[in-house]
Amino acid sequence: MDTERTCLLIIDIQYDFLDASSPLFVRGGPSIISNIEKILNYFRENNQLVIFVKRLHRSDGSDVDKTRIELFQRTGGFLIGGTRGAEIVEAIKPLPSEAVVIKKRWSAFFHTELDLMLRREKIKDLIICGIQTPNCIRATFTDAISLDYDVIVLEDGTASSNLEIQKSNLLDMENIGAKILRTDEVINLLKYQI
Amino acid sequence: MDTERTCLLIIDIQYDFLDASSPLFVRGGPSIISNIEKILNYFRENNQLVIFVKRLHRSDGSDVDKTRIELFQRTGGFLIGGTRGAEIVEAIKPLPSEAVVIKKRWSAFFHTELDLMLRREKIKDLIICGIQTPNCIRATFTDAISLDYDVIVLEDGTASSNLEIQKSNLLDMENIGAKILRTDEVINLLKYQI
């Protein structure tokens, strides 16, 4: 891993995925925040690139996934720009100097400027964390390796609605080239430039 | 399902995924060919759109996934244009009039003309089959729903290296909007325009 060429991607750590009352609540979500905070702090202290990704929708639902329109309408909507539910949680709130990429679908690369930004910064390695593993994490990972990035997925910095889904998805990603590592392992790799 | 606006996508049914001696052999692969043949025949008899997708690589490996370059070099390569391994199997060989889309990565939409072709034909619904479920099927499905297609994934027309992987991937896809159906169920839906 070339630490100079490594970016930390933090995906969808927004209240609407983390509040137990939200229709999009991911059960494993709240427990991973402290690990993400830990690696984020390491990146900030070492002036390494961090990019936040969030999902935002219009209040009329016109940009919501087709398969979620019914849920959006029935529940009054989610991840609507300007609402608290769409905000990144306080513990890891982006600094004014940190980039936030807005996405509308599962993959952080899908119809976004993310790949262009990573190329500009000559990034080779990505560390992916956030929620949730079978959907946005996996879709982002698939695009990332398709684009020739080397990818680490944080085992304890990603979450699913249950452990079985979490495990099967980490295995599938490992089978096509993801490195699955814990937060402390990655910080050690970065620290000692292994 | 609007049968006029439905396309059958047949993904990666190539010898290098189906020969037991190939480094890319998918154990569940051979058993699904007859189901794919059945639905393909239905589409042909009814003059409905079929698109074949195949993965092709250059013999020097310059367009192979980064995570598979070592395997490619060690085994002498796979899915190389002009070799038997890259061909679609005889039982479902495309007719001269049928389109074949070439891809280099997991998703059939990734840097290909597939979406443009489907739009031109005003396709709304996709039926996805082929190999293998956790990789190319799932990546194609994720892009397809991101692009607002309604997607059926053929339970008995897709395959993985084992049943556990097959099941967990079908479940994850169902959870974000795929309809998981058997070949006979889909043919009935099409036949009776349900």
Side-chain angles (χ1 to χ4, degrees):
Chain A
M1 190 159 48
D2 178 347
T3 53
E4 296 267 302
R5 304 264 172 100
T6 300
C7 172
L8 176 67
L9 269 189
I10 302 178
I11 296 176
D12 290 7
I13 300 293
Q14 295 161 269
Y15 287 112
D16 272 350
F17 292 109
L18 290 157
D19 280 343
S21 61
S22 161
L24 299 185
F25 176 58
V26 178
R27 220 162 42 170
S31 68
I32 63 168
I33 306 296
S34 61
N35 291 325
I36 295 179
E37 200 179 345
K38 195 190 286 182
I39 195 162
L40 172 62
N41 286 339
Y42 182 85
F43 268 69
R44 284 176 173 167
E45 285 159 14
N46 291 277
N47 292 311
Q48 284 184 242
L49 187 66
V50 177
I51 296 181
F52 292 83
V53 180
K54 57 192 239 184
R55 198 188 248 265
L56 274 193
H57 292 301
R58 289 174 171 77
S59 59
D60 64 2
S62 54
D63 56 5
V64 171
D65 306 69
K66 205 168 162 189
T67 51
R68 278 181 170 172
I69 290 173
E70 192 276 326
L71 181 70
F72 188 90
Q73 288 168 342
R74 181 163 46 83
T75 59
F78 37 73
L79 302 168
I80 295 169
T83 66
R84 177 178 178 280
E87 279 174 29
I88 292 171
V89 303
E90 190 62 30
I92 61 158
K93 198 177 169 182
L95 303 174
S97 60
E98 289 169 336
V100 180
V101 169
I102 307 298
K103 69 180 171 63
K104 300 292 171 183
R105 292 293 185 266
W106 315 99
S107 168
F109 290 96
F110 188 84
H111 294 194
T112 72
E113 69 277 31
L114 178 59
D115 185 50
L116 302 178
M117 294 171 72
L118 295 171
R119 283 170 175 240
R120 177 77 50 92
E121 298 294 331
K122 299 186 173 48
I123 296 297
K124 276 181 62 264
D125 299 281
L126 294 178
I127 298 167
I128 298 180
C129 61
I131 46 183
Q132 60 170 310
T133 315
N135 304 345
C136 297
I137 300 301
R138 182 150 173 182
T140 301
F141 159 74
T142 304
D143 279 340
I145 54 153
S146 293
L147 291 162
D148 272 6
Y149 294 100
D150 291 319
V151 185
I152 292 171
V153 176
L154 284 191
E155 185 181 342
D156 57 359
T158 54
S160 306
S161 59
N162 68 51
L163 202 63
E164 201 182 337
I165 292 177
Q166 176 76 359
K167 278 186 175 173
S168 63
N169 277 278
L170 293 178
L171 176 68
D172 288 341
M173 289 191 277
E174 191 172 30
N175 281 340
I176 55 170
K179 286 197 190 75
I180 310 296
L181 294 170
R182 283 178 292 105
T183 304
D184 287 340
E185 290 177 298
V186 173
I187 291 175
N188 276 333
L189 279 175
L190 291 165
K191 220 179 243 175
Y192 303 109
Q193 312 251 348
I194 297 168
Chain B
M1 189 159 45
D2 178 348
T3 54
E4 296 267 301
R5 303 263 171 103
T6 300
C7 173
L8 176 65
L9 269 189
I10 302 177
I11 296 176
D12 291 6
I13 301 293
Q14 295 159 270
Y15 287 112
D16 273 350
F17 292 110
L18 290 157
D19 280 344
S21 61
S22 162
L24 299 185
F25 176 59
V26 178
R27 220 161 43 171
S31 69
I32 63 169
I33 306 296
S34 61
N35 291 325
I36 295 179
E37 200 179 344
K38 195 189 284 181
I39 194 160
L40 171 61
N41 286 339
Y42 182 87
F43 268 69
R44 283 177 174 167
E45 284 158 16
N46 292 277
N47 291 313
Q48 284 186 242
L49 187 65
V50 177
I51 296 182
F52 292 84
V53 180
K54 57 191 237 182
R55 196 189 250 265
L56 273 195
H57 293 301
R58 289 174 172 78
S59 59
D60 64 2
S62 53
D63 55 5
V64 170
D65 306 71
K66 205 169 162 187
T67 51
R68 277 181 169 172
I69 290 173
E70 191 276 326
L71 181 69
F72 189 90
Q73 289 169 340
R74 181 162 46 83
T75 58
F78 38 72
L79 301 168
I80 296 169
T83 66
R84 178 178 179 277
E87 279 175 29
I88 292 171
V89 303
E90 190 60 30
I92 60 158
K93 199 178 167 181
L95 302 174
S97 61
E98 289 170 336
V100 180
V101 168
I102 306 299
K103 70 181 172 63
K104 301 291 172 183
R105 292 290 185 268
W106 316 98
S107 168
F109 290 96
F110 188 85
H111 294 195
T112 73
E113 68 278 31
L114 179 58
D115 186 51
L116 302 178
M117 293 171 72
L118 295 170
R119 282 170 177 241
R120 178 79 48 92
E121 298 294 331
K122 300 187 172 49
I123 296 297
K124 275 182 62 263
D125 299 280
L126 294 178
I127 298 167
I128 297 180
C129 61
I131 46 182
Q132 59 169 311
T133 315
N135 303 345
C136 296
I137 300 301
R138 182 148 172 185
T140 300
F141 159 74
T142 304
D143 279 340
I145 54 153
S146 294
L147 291 163
D148 271 6
Y149 294 100
D150 291 319
V151 184
I152 293 171
V153 176
L154 284 192
E155 185 180 343
D156 57 359
T158 54
S160 307
S161 58
N162 68 51
L163 202 63
E164 200 182 336
I165 292 177
Q166 176 74 359
K167 278 186 173 171
S168 64
N169 276 278
L170 293 177
L171 176 68
D172 288 340
M173 289 191 277
E174 190 171 31
N175 280 341
I176 55 171
K179 287 196 189 76
I180 311 295
L181 294 170
R182 284 178 292 104
T183 304
D184 287 340
E185 291 177 296
V186 173
I187 291 174
N188 276 333
L189 280 174
L190 290 164
K191 221 179 245 176
Y192 303 110
Q193 312 251 348
I194 297 168

